[in-house]
Amino acid sequence: MKSRWTARLLAACTVLALALAAAGVSAETVIKLAHPNRNDAFDNTAGAMAIVFKNHVEVATEKRVRVEIFPEGQMGRDGDAVKLVRQGTIQSAISSVGGVAPLYPMLAVIDLPFAYSSVANAYDVFDGPFGHRLAEEIRRKAGLAVLGFGDPGGLFTITNSKRPIRQPEDMKGLKIRTMDLETHRTMIGSLGGTPVNVAWSDLYNALGTGAVDGQMNPVPIVRFARFDEVQRHLTLSNHLFLPYVWVMNAKFLDDLAPSDRAAVTNAARLGVVASRGLSRLIESSDRGLPPLAQRMEVHTLTPREAEAFRKVTQPAVRQAIERRFGAEGVEMLAAFERAIREERTP
């Protein structure tokens, strides 16, 4: 009797072991990816990044790794989603600089205004040694692996409902909405404007009622948000480039099989490339500058005008960075400026 039960137990254990082995073979690795916009590869750059990433990862891994996309802030605002990534609740997020800055405040160094010669110059900076160093610092200090720096829409512009902006004095007295970042507030304040913190969801109404006079964002976002309906003047100032920071839980990435990890990082690079291509297309299409020019008075800063803004704003922002981060911030800012000079496209 004892031997019969032993045989049955052994048989049951064998069946269980085979079942577990089979389950292991068919198990999927799931990447939950959050981003703030519509999940449409042709509507916005975050959607393009997410969809390109999903398709390439799943094809390259034969769906051993599956990507689930959570768009339109389903995981909360950018900062909320980034925290969920660090906790391991979700695996990845495409976030604005403002969403990552609370965990890595020294991102402020990239807020030096009027620094780039072109958007291509900005791409080269973030693809080069400075971008690699920045990614390493974010991982070391915030515990987040950076998959890439995407393009949310290109270089920043300034819009307002009061008057054309051609020189620093034109900014005096204007209430300008900024991200909740000290460097942005410092920049606007140095020009004599009043920085105002308004939630993105409330900004259109605030501009329409005159509670806020203006705001700053890239051309595609100005058009996407329909700010041309509530703003009269558009200045192509090209004063900032604030990339999407694409983060992933560092332990999750490290624990992937080498071939799957390579598929993930390669797919992210392709997603970043897609964001940049789409951004340039939107900017020059009927979803970008041309229709804005029909509804708004558009002014492009001349090199001399941009230099006047640079002389006023850069010293103020440098002082803010030194005051907050000390010698480490000064050195990081110097590395950023050096990268801009070295990567500048002729």
Side-chain angles (χ1 to χ4, degrees):
M1 177 69 71
K2 189 173 183 179
S3 60
R4 186 191 310 168
W5 281 109
T6 300
R8 289 179 178 175
L9 181 59
L10 288 173
C13 288
T14 300
V15 170
L16 178 60
L18 290 172
L20 290 173
V25 170
S26 62
E28 293 178 320
T29 297
V30 176
I31 297 174
K32 294 179 180 178
L33 169 62
H35 73 81
N37 296 327
R38 288 178 56 194
N39 203 46
D40 183 332
F42 300 99
D43 176 73
N44 65 86
T45 59
M49 291 165 72
I51 291 171
V52 167
F53 177 74
K54 172 181 172 67
N55 291 339
H56 279 274
V57 165
E58 292 183 352
V59 168
T61 65
E62 298 179 335
K63 293 196 174 181
R64 288 190 307 277
V65 181
R66 186 165 55 83
V67 179
E68 296 179 355
I69 301 173
F70 296 85
E72 300 185 81
Q74 291 180 26
M75 293 294 178
R77 295 182 178 181
D78 284 358
D80 300 325
V82 169
K83 289 177 183 177
L84 291 176
V85 172
R86 189 163 76 162
Q87 295 166 4
T89 305
I90 63 175
Q91 289 68 47
S92 188
I94 297 168
S95 171
S96 67
V97 166
V100 178
L103 299 181
Y104 181 67
M106 208 178 297
L107 265 176
V109 300
I110 71 172
D111 290 335
L112 187 71
F114 299 94
Y116 299 104
S117 61
S118 66
V119 72
N121 182 206
Y123 294 162
D124 289 342
V125 167
F126 286 99
D127 289 344
F130 176 81
H132 297 313
R133 174 181 174 178
L134 185 62
E136 289 170 1
E137 287 289 298
I138 292 172
R139 178 169 184 138
R140 184 169 67 87
K141 293 189 175 182
L144 296 164
V146 176
L147 296 180
F149 297 98
D151 185 352
L155 297 170
F156 268 49
T157 68
I158 301 172
T159 71
N160 83 99
S161 59
K162 298 293 187 182
R163 55 181 173 266
I165 303 297
R166 295 187 173 91
Q167 55 189 351
E169 291 76 13
D170 295 329
M171 291 288 291
K172 287 184 177 179
L174 293 181
K175 296 173 289 186
I176 304 293
R177 185 263 185 183
T178 70
M179 292 184 187
D180 188 19
L181 298 170
E182 181 185 359
T183 41
H184 291 200
R185 294 190 294 270
T186 298
M187 185 193 75
I188 295 301
S190 72
L191 294 167
T194 301
V196 181
N197 183 16
V198 177
W200 174 257
S201 58
D202 299 328
L203 182 54
Y204 180 92
N205 288 335
L207 293 169
T209 62
V212 179
D213 297 319
Q215 60 84 51
M216 51 186 195
N217 263 301
V219 161
I221 295 178
V222 173
R223 176 61 175 162
F224 170 78
R226 299 182 292 116
F227 290 153
D228 52 313
E229 297 175 358
V230 290
Q231 301 274 267
R232 181 177 176 185
H233 303 282
L234 170 64
T235 301
L236 301 179
S237 50
N238 297 333
H239 62 284
L240 289 172
F241 177 77
L242 300 181
Y244 277 132
V245 184
W246 193 344
V247 297
M248 177 166 275
N249 181 274
K251 185 178 186 305
F252 174 84
L253 183 63
D254 291 343
D255 287 347
L256 289 174
S259 61
D260 292 344
R261 185 163 58 248
V264 165
T265 55
N266 183 60
R269 281 193 291 269
L270 293 172
V272 168
V273 170
S275 78
R276 294 172 179 177
L278 182 63
S279 178
R280 303 283 65 76
L281 286 170
I282 291 176
E283 185 177 58
S284 59
S285 74
D286 60 3
R287 295 164 58 201
L289 187 58
L292 293 179
Q294 294 177 6
R295 296 178 61 103
M296 305 176 76
E297 181 181 338
V298 179
H299 176 69
T300 302
L301 292 184
T302 67
R304 179 176 293 182
E305 289 169 341
E307 180 61 23
F309 279 89
R310 185 179 299 111
K311 286 181 178 178
V312 174
T313 58
Q314 285 197 357
V317 172
R318 283 196 183 95
Q319 289 174 10
I321 290 170
E322 181 176 6
R323 185 169 57 248
R324 183 172 184 187
F325 302 108
E328 186 181 7
V330 170
E331 194 281 325
M332 193 71 168
L333 179 59
F336 175 60
E337 293 187 83
R338 186 165 56 250
I340 290 172
R341 292 192 300 271
E342 292 173 353
E343 303 292 349
R344 185 161 285 156
T345 303

